[in-house]
Amino acid sequence: MTANLDEPILAAARRAAPRAVELLREAIRIPADYVDLAPEDGGDPECGLSNHEGPRLELLRRRLLELGAVDGPDDVGFDAFGNLRWTLEDPDDGVPPDEKVVIWLDGHTDTVQPLRHRWREAIGGVDAYDGLLHETRLDEDFLRRELGYLPPREEWDHLLWGRGSADQLGGVVCQILAASVLRSLRDQGALAGVRLVSWATVAEEDNDGGGPMFYVRSELEGAAPGSVPDVVILTEGTGCSTGGALGIYRGQRGRMQIEVEVTGKSCHGSMPWEGRNPLEYGGAILAEAAERYRHGEGFGTDPFLGAGSRTASWATLETPSDCAVPERFTFRLDRRLTAGEDPELARRDVEGLPGVARARDAGLEVQVRVPVYERPTWRGYRPGNAQIYPGWVTPEDHPAITTATATYRAVVTPQVPADGAGGALRRDPRVSRWVFSTDGVGVPLPTASADIDVPAGKRWVETEPYHHPAMFGIGPGIEQNTHKIGECVDTRELAPVIAFLARFPSLYRQRLDAGA
């Protein structure tokens, strides 16, 4: 094995960067081929969104083969859920399969609604799919108000614009190019004693972690211990508008949906005493929930992940007309769960609001529940999971995190000539956590599960009632720029991420062999 792979990987990552930019631009643009076509002509107005990722995934599969990121067609394909999966290892390294270090890479391929017309109205020269169209028409004032961070104007030629650029197609593209780099350096020991498994997942925006919930169980239930991952690397964007680009994120809060359905009695609006108004009683419940959150009542806190939170996020009203007492009002609360918070207690906190009791006393029916996600994926699979997504934390002294910081210094720091300000690249690794959710919430498993044999040597993290492989994230994109008009990514972040993903597996293997 080569004593030091840093320089070969750095050189290969730099060579791969232009291909990464090209592929990312393709992945962002491809829905434009479908959204304006009629369904009978092969169109799909929701192309690229959750459960409509097919054309993008087919593109990525083709490029995996063309770029030499896998050995052949048998090493890349779709699972029943619709996730794209590819594998890579060194069959000639002399290490038995059950003794290899298993590294999983994960990134999601769906995006939120593009709001395409708003991009052109607000920015002038950028399209949500086609990217930069007219540089001279860019509304810089709007972009600086809208986005969390942009580099100085003279550096905008490094920006790639479009829905999904920061969240998180750039990370998936880096996974693909990193696999290509690893395969090209296999004869130098880049994959010795390592098995790399990558996923480009689906439906994350709608159903956080739904893809991993499927693949974790399908890969591990009843599988040999050698298939169990040692480390999961999430390629969701880890940039912060004030802290810098490419943080190493070792945790995130979980989340859940709490649905409140208030059913009353409809009647003519001129005689409200003949009915029972679910909108008014439900509105009172919402107001109480907001007030309770403002005062921090019923929420846990954690020194690393921060406090739990709750906000109204969705509602629907069933009513005969706008001059009637409605029949039913249903709304959802997005509840972020910090470490140690129990989802059932979070649900009961809402059920225990005085407004719920008042509505029931007045004869209305109130149900407080956790909804189940049933929308079929693009492959027709119905997930059927409760919308509870556990948070997780990997200890800072875990070998995966200490190796991650060493990897950063080895192959990211040399690519950063000097520290920038705001969301620019930094020479030293920044270890932190996400504010929003990622696919990581789909990886933790109940500790009591008897269907999965996790060897002690895998060093999984135990946090009752769950356990999970060591997880962390590194990916291109600023967290505060996601889901916004004008979303963009600085392409100077791609080569460092490719290098990091290609260097970490062998470095982690070496550290474990050395007794770390």
Side-chain angles (χ1 to χ4, degrees), residues 384-443:
N385 60 276
Q387 292 190 255
I388 298 174
Y389 312 96
W392 54 273
V393 178
T394 300
E396 194 163 12
D397 61 356
H398 192 286
I401 306 302
T402 58
T403 304
T405 59
T407 303
Y408 190 102
R409 291 190 176 96
V411 296
V412 176
T413 300
Q415 301 187 62
V416 185
D419 284 342
L425 287 163
R426 302 287 197 272
R427 289 184 58 79
D428 289 329
R430 175 178 59 89
V431 179
S432 188
R433 83 286 186 270
W434 278 287
V435 176
F436 59 33
S437 290
T438 76
D439 256 347
V441 297
V443 175

Side-chain angles (χ1 to χ4, degrees), residues 14 300 390 406 445:
R14 289 181 175 124
L445 291 164

Side-chain angles (χ1 to χ4, degrees), residues 101-320:
V101 166
V102 181
I103 308 292
W104 286 2
L105 306 183
D106 174 286
H108 70 85
T109 61
D110 55 322
T111 71
V112 296
Q113 285 281 353
L115 304 177
R116 198 176 187 186
H117 68 286
R118 282 288 296 134
W119 282 63
R120 297 208 181 197
E121 290 173 358
I123 308 172
V126 179
D127 181 80
Y129 292 138
D130 294 323
L132 181 64
L133 302 174
H134 305 287
E135 186 173 3
T136 58
R137 298 182 190 174
L138 291 177
D139 188 334
E140 182 174 352
D141 290 340
F142 171 84
L143 288 166
R144 292 207 178 274
R145 290 194 307 270
E146 182 75 5
L147 299 178
Y149 170 76
L150 283 169
R153 186 66 177 81
E154 62 270 19
E155 299 178 15
W156 282 21
D157 57 326
H158 295 290
L159 297 181
L160 196 160
W161 308 83
R163 179 62 81 220
S165 55
D167 183 21
Q168 75 156 115
L169 298 176
V172 175
V173 166
C174 288
Q175 291 175 224
I176 292 171
L177 271 298
S180 177
V181 168
L182 281 165
R183 186 167 176 264
S184 72
L185 296 174
R186 186 162 50 188
D187 61 348
Q188 296 186 44
L191 282 164
V194 173
R195 184 166 187 258
L196 188 75
V197 185
S198 275
W199 274 275
T201 66
V202 300
E204 189 271 350
E205 296 291 356
D206 263 16
N207 187 27
D208 296 293
M213 286 180 196
F214 177 87
Y215 73 62
V216 166
R217 287 157 180 80
S218 63
E219 288 276 318
L220 300 185
E221 288 183 358
S227 299
V228 174
D230 295 76
V231 180
V232 176
I233 305 176
L234 306 158
T235 61
E236 188 88 49
T238 55
C240 174
S241 61
T242 57
L246 303 187
I248 296 169
Y249 284 3
R250 63 179 183 90
Q252 65 180 98
R253 295 180 302 171
R255 82 171 184 91
M256 66 184 296
Q257 289 287 309
I258 301 173
E259 185 172 272
V260 181
E261 181 182 273
V262 186
T263 304
K265 179 183 177 183
S266 182
C267 68
H268 198 285
S270 66
M271 298 175 285
W273 55 84
E274 293 289 334
R276 292 184 287 273
N277 196 317
L279 183 54
E280 293 180 355
Y281 279 94
I285 296 169
L286 274 171
E288 288 177 358
E291 186 68 13
R292 187 165 167 79
Y293 171 58
R294 275 194 292 272
H295 288 90
E297 298 172 357
F299 296 86
T301 188
D302 179 80
F304 177 63
L305 293 182
S309 63
R310 183 174 62 207
T311 190
S313 57
W314 175 90
T316 185
L317 184 68
E318 297 175 38
T319 184

